[in-house]
Amino acid sequence: MLTTRSVSGSSQSPRSPSSQPYLSVSVTDPVKLGNGVQAYISYRVITKTNFPEYQGPEKIVIRRYSDFVWLRDRLFEKYKGVFIPPLPEKSAVEKFRFSAEFIEMRRQALDVFVNRIASHHELQQSEDLRTFLQADEETMERLRFHETGIFKKKPADLMQIFKDVQSKVSDVVLGKEKPVEESNPEYEKLKHYIFELENHLAEAQKHAYRLVKRHRELGQSLSDFGKAAKLLGACEGDALGKAFTELGAKSEALSIRLQKEAHQLLMNFEEPLKDYVRAVQSIKATIAERANAFRQQCELAETIKLKEINLEKLMLTRSDRVGEAEHEYKGLKAEGEEASRRFETMVRLMNEEIVRFQEQKTTDMGIAFHEFAKGQARLANSIADAWRSLLPKLETCSSA
């Protein structure tokens, strides 16, 4: 189902006569292309919008995972202080990489990723997002492989760079390195909250995974038992044989129900939890960027102070190097002021982002846990009804 997200984040139909701006993106139709190690999955990305900056009301392009990585890294580099939505991990295990379930999980996660960007009040204005949603495949390929600096690296290298940045935050925040750090109670509170949240989400996701596994194992056991019961029924005659056959049929039907519920549990409960673990890791990367920005600001301030002292000494001695030193001092001072502005902007954005993140998390987690509870209730009722329907026939057999 296509969801349209307006600038305010609300949903509306693309065909609505309202003039409310909207930007809707769908990631659909995954297709495997190529063979062996060169194989990859392509996706159809459909954009519907009335934003004047776009080429038209609808655009369809073909994208692959590395294109999404390109977009994520461009945004991470340009929007300091903004929590860039996370991407799903890239599976290194060949047998899982092209399984139907993995491909659907990946498609769903990529859809969430790009719609979070499209509904973000700042990120949706990004030129890189417009390029991603509109450029042809040849243009995207050139952009991936011919950018300068960090973007010239291969997608695998980009992923590693991002993971390295994420891992460094532990050293910076936990004090394994000893840079100058902010003495800001709100910032300390934010760091503590993010680290605690990551631990709790990871623990919940781990147990959600176990629930999925348990449902699948129980479903398989019921399937095996159903086959055995039907074979047993074939050996018996009359009422007993019929009862065993029906018992086997019910077991197999419940097995199918459990497997379906396991899949729903995976997609609608475990995956959202996993997505928020990734989101927290993205926030930690932004915290690392803030720590670096603060350190650079402090180092510049210290350098400026030393240059100022040196300039005063030169002026007192009427050195012929005063002009050069003064020019250098003014340049550094301007650089320091720019670093302070960048840091203040980052702090302001992070304060706004954490509020937005918490509101979105409350909504998303509420939906996930509600769907989990509804699914478990439906499953329990189905199982109880199935066994209950067999009781009269089994009671008749046992009393015969």
Side-chain angles (χ1 to χ4, degrees):
M1 180 179 177
L2 180 63
T3 300
T4 298
R5 299 174 186 273
S6 70
V7 173
S8 64
S10 62
S11 295
Q12 64 178 48
S13 168
R15 298 182 178 84
S16 170
S18 169
S19 60
Q20 176 78 13
Y22 66 85
L23 177 59
S24 156
V25 185
S26 297
V27 179
T28 65
D29 303 331
V31 175
K32 181 183 177 184
L33 299 173
N35 297 299
V37 294
Q38 300 299 321
Y40 65 92
I41 303 296
S42 74
Y43 305 88
R44 187 186 299 269
V45 178
I46 305 169
T47 303
K48 295 187 178 183
T49 184
N50 61 358
F51 282 16
E53 314 93 274
Y54 281 74
Q55 295 169 1
E58 180 170 326
K59 182 74 174 179
I60 300 175
V61 295
I62 303 299
R63 294 291 177 259
R64 57 187 295 181
Y65 180 76
S66 53
D67 295 323
F68 290 85
V69 173
W70 174 87
L71 176 61
R72 191 276 314 277
D73 280 286
R74 294 286 294 187
L75 296 176
F76 182 75
E77 189 68 17
K78 290 184 177 182
Y79 289 85
K80 302 298 184 184
V82 174
F83 299 159
I84 306 303
L87 279 171
E89 299 88 353
K90 188 166 186 175
S91 175
V93 183
E94 185 68 24
K95 68 177 181 178
F96 295 130
R97 193 156 67 103
F98 297 115
S99 69
E101 185 171 83
F102 177 80
I103 290 171
E104 175 55 21
M105 286 165 54
R106 166 70 63 80
R107 185 210 61 76
Q108 179 175 289
L110 292 176
D111 189 274
V112 170
F113 164 77
V114 75
N115 272 290
R116 281 180 175 164
I117 295 169
S119 63
H120 191 283
H121 65 287
E122 286 205 38
L123 299 180
Q124 67 178 194
Q125 305 299 327
S126 164
E127 184 180 342
D128 293 312
L129 176 62
R130 291 198 296 275
T131 299
F132 174 83
L133 295 176
Q134 298 182 114
D136 57 45
E137 293 173 69
E138 291 77 12
T139 301
M140 281 305 304
E141 187 172 1
R142 283 200 305 274
L143 288 169
R144 286 202 316 268
F145 292 104
H146 294 90
E147 290 286 349
T148 57
I150 182 174
F151 305 115
K152 197 171 182 180
K153 295 183 179 289
K154 294 179 181 178
D157 297 328
L158 293 174
M159 290 294 290
Q160 189 58 50
I161 288 170
F162 193 67
K163 288 177 182 176
D164 290 344
V165 171
Q166 290 179 353
S167 64
K168 284 177 183 175
V169 73
S170 299
D171 294 338
V172 173
V173 175
L174 297 177
K176 293 178 183 178
E177 295 181 3
K178 296 296 180 182
V180 179
E181 291 190 30
E182 290 182 69
S183 55
N184 182 328
E186 286 301 312
Y187 181 51
E188 291 300 320
K189 185 178 176 181
L190 168 63
K191 290 189 294 186
H192 178 75
Y193 166 72
I194 291 301
F195 274 82
E196 285 290 301
L197 180 62
E198 182 183 28
N199 291 336
H200 296 323
L201 283 171
E203 187 71 11
Q205 188 264 320
K206 180 178 74 175
H207 290 294
Y209 166 79
R210 290 177 178 173
L211 280 170
V212 173
K213 185 179 178 183
R214 177 179 172 273
H215 279 53
R216 285 179 169 163
E217 288 173 346
L218 181 56
Q220 186 59 51
S221 296
L222 276 171
S223 176
D224 295 340
F225 172 72
K227 289 182 177 68
K230 286 167 78 174
L231 289 172
L232 186 60
C235 293
E236 299 289 341
D238 301 327
L240 183 60
K242 190 175 180 182
F244 282 162
T245 299
E246 288 193 27
L247 176 62
K250 288 288 183 184
S251 297
E252 289 180 331
L254 284 175
S255 168
I256 294 170
R257 183 74 182 82
L258 273 161
Q259 295 295 352
K260 286 182 179 177
E261 187 59 40
H263 180 73
Q264 291 299 314
L265 193 60
L266 172 67
M267 302 302 293
N268 299 328
F269 189 59
E270 187 197 347
E271 274 300 302
L273 286 170
K274 190 185 291 185
D275 180 64
Y276 265 92
V277 172
R278 293 190 293 255
V280 169
Q281 290 169 350
S282 180
I283 294 172
K284 287 169 66 179
T286 306
I287 290 174
E289 289 288 297
R290 173 170 169 169
N292 288 334
F294 182 77
R295 183 168 64 249
Q296 289 167 8
Q297 176 188 255
C298 291
E299 288 171 354
L300 269 171
E302 188 64 30
T303 303
I304 290 166
K305 192 181 296 182
L306 293 172
K307 291 291 182 182
E308 186 177 9
I309 293 169
N310 183 54
L311 178 59
E312 288 172 355
K313 286 180 181 178
L314 292 173
M315 291 175 72
L316 285 172
T317 59
R318 297 181 180 179
S319 170
D320 56 2
R321 292 177 53 216
V322 168
E324 180 185 343
E326 193 169 20
H327 178 74
E328 189 178 347
Y329 170 71
K330 286 179 179 178
L332 272 173
K333 193 170 182 183
E335 192 178 336
E337 288 170 355
E338 179 59 30
S340 295
R341 279 194 294 271
R342 282 198 306 268
F343 177 73
E344 287 166 7
T345 299
M346 185 177 289
V347 170
R348 175 182 60 78
L349 286 172
M350 286 184 70
N351 289 340
E352 294 172 2
E353 287 289 282
I354 196 63
V355 172
R356 183 187 61 81
F357 169 78
Q358 288 174 317
E359 289 175 351
Q360 189 64 54
K361 176 174 61 66
T362 299
T363 300
D364 291 344
M365 289 295 99
I367 292 170
F369 279 87
H370 183 248
E371 288 300 312
F372 166 72
K374 279 203 308 183
Q376 294 303 294
R378 284 195 306 267
L379 180 63
N381 288 334
S382 296
I383 292 172
D385 290 344
W387 295 136
R388 193 178 294 115
S389 69
L390 286 172
L391 290 178
K393 291 181 181 179
L394 292 173
E395 285 171 356
T396 301
C397 291
S398 63
S399 61

